[in-house]
Amino acid sequence: MKDPYSILGVSRNATDEEIKNAYREMARKYHPDNYADNPLADLAGERMKEINEAYDQIMNSRRHKNAGGNAYSGTGNANSNFPDVRNLVMQGRLEEAQEILDGVPPERRDAEWYFLNGSVLYKRGWFDAAYTSMSNACRMDPSNPEYRAAFAQLQRQRDGGFAYRGQNGVYGGGCNTCDVCQSLICADCCCECMGGDLIPCC
Amino acid sequence: MFGYVRANKSQLRVCEYEAYKGVYCSLCRTQGRLYGPLTRFMLSYDIAFLAMLHLSVQGGCGGFEDKSCVFNPLKKCKYCKAGEQALSYAASVAMLLSYYKLRDNIDDSRRLRRLGCKLLHPYYNRKRKKAARLYPEAAKIAEEYYENQRRIEQTPGAGLDAAAEPTAKALQGYFALCAGAGESRPLARMGYCIGKWIYLLDAGADLEKDIRSGAFNPLKAGLQGQDIQSYLQRTLVPNLNVCVTECAAAFELADCKDFRPIIENVIYLGLKQTQTTILSKNKEKTE
């Protein structure tokens, strides 16, 4: 396995707190929920596994309590009307899944049909049609948590939310001119209290 | 390509901006060398992004050196010391797409413009053949794009996804080719999302014009007399947003090394900025 410290992007001298923060950042980025209906979910899963193993290895070797990884439970298969479609979708065989779905007569298209149809469309990149299908699924079965979660994720993306903003400070924090001015004025006041004067004109 | 895929310049560091310009200048030089100086106008930031992606994944830029501009000898430009493979690939894609754009114009335009395009055709065709010899896969992608696009435009009731599919699939192919021997799926997904985004944004920008001229536009079907601006906000913008977020998710799984901050800027900041600018330009025109 690659060096666990380089996987998390921390130095060997990092504190436990720094390692935990780095792990949280990466887990937030590659969490399975961000790739729920994504055809690249398996790659994200591999990264997540790598990150979890790296974190465990570091923490174990530092003899701390093992925080463990995030357990991800897959979508419910127990009482499905379309177990063959669900299997095909999990294997990434999208065309075959779509064919089976398209073959279902309109009167048999229940909430689960619309949900699976939406999932397949989303994986294929047909985001608009996926949204229509998913919203039908939720309308027909409002209490189903699986459909609601998928629909909520899609809604978040339609509103422009990124799962992860880049590491560059400009995307999240950083400071603007107001912060700079504020800080300077504060510094000037403190300076004057001590008998000096940082900014003569203030 | 329309130059929609570009960085948010004000959020680039100076060294990053210099590198960004450097890739563009290097591309300009390579385009001129391969296909003649007159083809330089075919370049756009979108093509520069493609070159940068290729260099990012497969490496090979080798740093920049200062030399005089091929266009204006009094100006100094930064050029990549190496990276010809990426640059000639992107230049060839530009050539291929321009050829099929010309074919499109010949098919769709009226007399005078059509005549002008027909006169240019032999010149463009020669260049296209050269590009096809160098990059047969890229040539096949461009040809399929042209045929699929024409086919979908004969279907007035086509939905947004179906109409955007040819462009999405074309860029999916072009981005995947940047992977070389490595994992191509994240790049393919990025390309698909960006292609779709470009097509839909352009459809939004041209909606009014297409209503007047009767040209194909997948957004026409759902409009039904509503106010265009609020219709676009409700129908188009959410789809553009999903394309951008999906592209970002795919990017995080791609193996981008060089130029990473610039590519991050394009995806996380640049695309949204262009989206807002283009759609609000629309708004100003109607007010």
Side-chain angles (χ1 to χ4, degrees), chain B residues 108-123:
Chain B
D108 290 339
S109 306
R110 298 215 181 100
R111 269 190 248 122
L112 204 59
R113 188 166 179 190
R114 187 199 216 130
L115 182 63
C117 291
K118 276 195 161 164
L119 288 174
L120 285 173
H121 184 262
Y123 174 74

Side-chain angles (χ1 to χ4, degrees), chain A residues 35 42 122-123 126 129 158, chain B residues 161 165 185 189 241 246 249:
Chain A
Y35 291 87
D42 59 321
Y122 188 86
K123 282 183 167 34
W126 283 42
R158 283 169 69 90
Chain B
D161 294 316
E165 187 80 347
R185 282 165 46 204
R189 183 84 169 167
N241 285 342
E246 274 294 301

Side-chain angles (χ1 to χ4, degrees), chain A residues 67-188:
Chain A
N70 288 316
Y72 176 57
S73 53
T75 52
N77 238 345
N79 298 314
S80 171
N81 287 333
F82 304 97
D84 46 351
V85 174
R86 283 189 185 262
N87 275 329
L88 287 170
V89 169
M90 280 213 297
Q91 291 168 44
R93 289 157 68 180
L94 300 177
E95 274 103 27
E96 292 168 73
Q98 187 75 73
E99 262 182 53
I100 296 182
L101 287 166
D102 289 345
V104 173
E107 58 272 17
R108 268 191 52 215
R109 293 184 182 179
D110 59 358
E112 191 187 6
W113 184 92
Y114 281 102
F115 168 72
L116 290 174
N117 190 47
S119 290
V120 173
L121 286 167
Y122 188 86
K123 282 183 167 34
R124 285 172 52 202
W126 283 42
F127 305 129
D128 193 47
Y131 180 73
T132 309
S133 207
M134 286 286 190
S135 53
N136 280 339
C138 287
R139 201 176 29 86
M140 291 170 82
D141 188 358
S143 61
N144 190 308
E146 188 188 19
Y147 311 164
R148 284 221 322 270
F151 185 68
Q153 162 88 334
L154 189 43
Q155 190 62 61
R156 260 197 306 274
Q157 293 188 320
R158 283 169 69 90
D159 293 336
F162 288 116
Y164 170 74
R165 307 304 292 276
Q167 286 162 341
N168 191 329
V170 252
Y171 302 144
C175 70
N176 54 26
T177 14
C178 293
D179 294 332
V180 173
C181 248
Q182 221 172 0
S183 316
L184 281 173
I185 290 173
C186 282
D188 183 45

Side-chain angles (χ1 to χ4, degrees), chain A residues 29-30 34-35 37-47 95 121-131 153-168 170-171, chain B residues 11 13 16 159-162 165 169 183 185-187 189 192-193 196 234-235 237-239 241-246 248-250 252-255 260-261 263-269 272:
Chain A
K29 204 183 349 174
Y30 295 108
N34 298 338
Y35 291 87
D37 256 330
N38 201 303
L40 305 174
D42 59 321
L43 291 175
E46 276 170 30
R47 286 276 177 107
E95 274 103 27
L121 286 167
Y122 188 86
K123 282 183 167 34
R124 285 172 52 202
W126 283 42
F127 305 129
D128 193 47
Y131 180 73
Q153 162 88 334
L154 189 43
Q155 190 62 61
R156 260 197 306 274
Q157 293 188 320
R158 283 169 69 90
D159 293 336
F162 288 116
Y164 170 74
R165 307 304 292 276
Q167 286 162 341
N168 191 329
V170 252
Y171 302 144
Chain B
Q11 299 288 359
R13 295 190 301 179
E16 290 164 0
L160 294 183
D161 294 316
E165 187 80 347
K169 279 264 144 75
E183 171 69 70
R185 282 165 46 204
L187 289 175
R189 183 84 169 167
Y192 184 94
C193 294
K196 197 179 184 97
R234 252 195 342 272
T235 319
V237 172
N239 279 298
N241 285 342
V242 184
C243 289
V244 175
T245 37
E246 274 294 301
E252 294 298 339
L253 292 169
D255 209 5
R260 199 187 167 89
I263 298 177
E264 276 183 353
N265 176 303
V266 172
I267 292 176
Y268 285 102
L269 299 175
K272 287 268 172 80

Side-chain angles (χ1 to χ4, degrees), chain B residues 250-285:
Chain B
F251 163 71
E252 294 298 339
L253 292 169
D255 209 5
C256 291
K257 299 178 281 268
D258 300 344
F259 303 113
R260 199 187 167 89
I262 306 177
I263 298 177
E264 276 183 353
N265 176 303
V266 172
I267 292 176
Y268 285 102
L269 299 175
L271 297 180
K272 287 268 172 80
Q273 184 187 44
T274 308
Q275 203 174 293
T276 314
T277 313
I278 298 286
L279 293 177
S280 61
K281 245 195 231 159
N282 240 11
K283 196 168 166 207
E284 281 164 18
K285 269 195 264 167

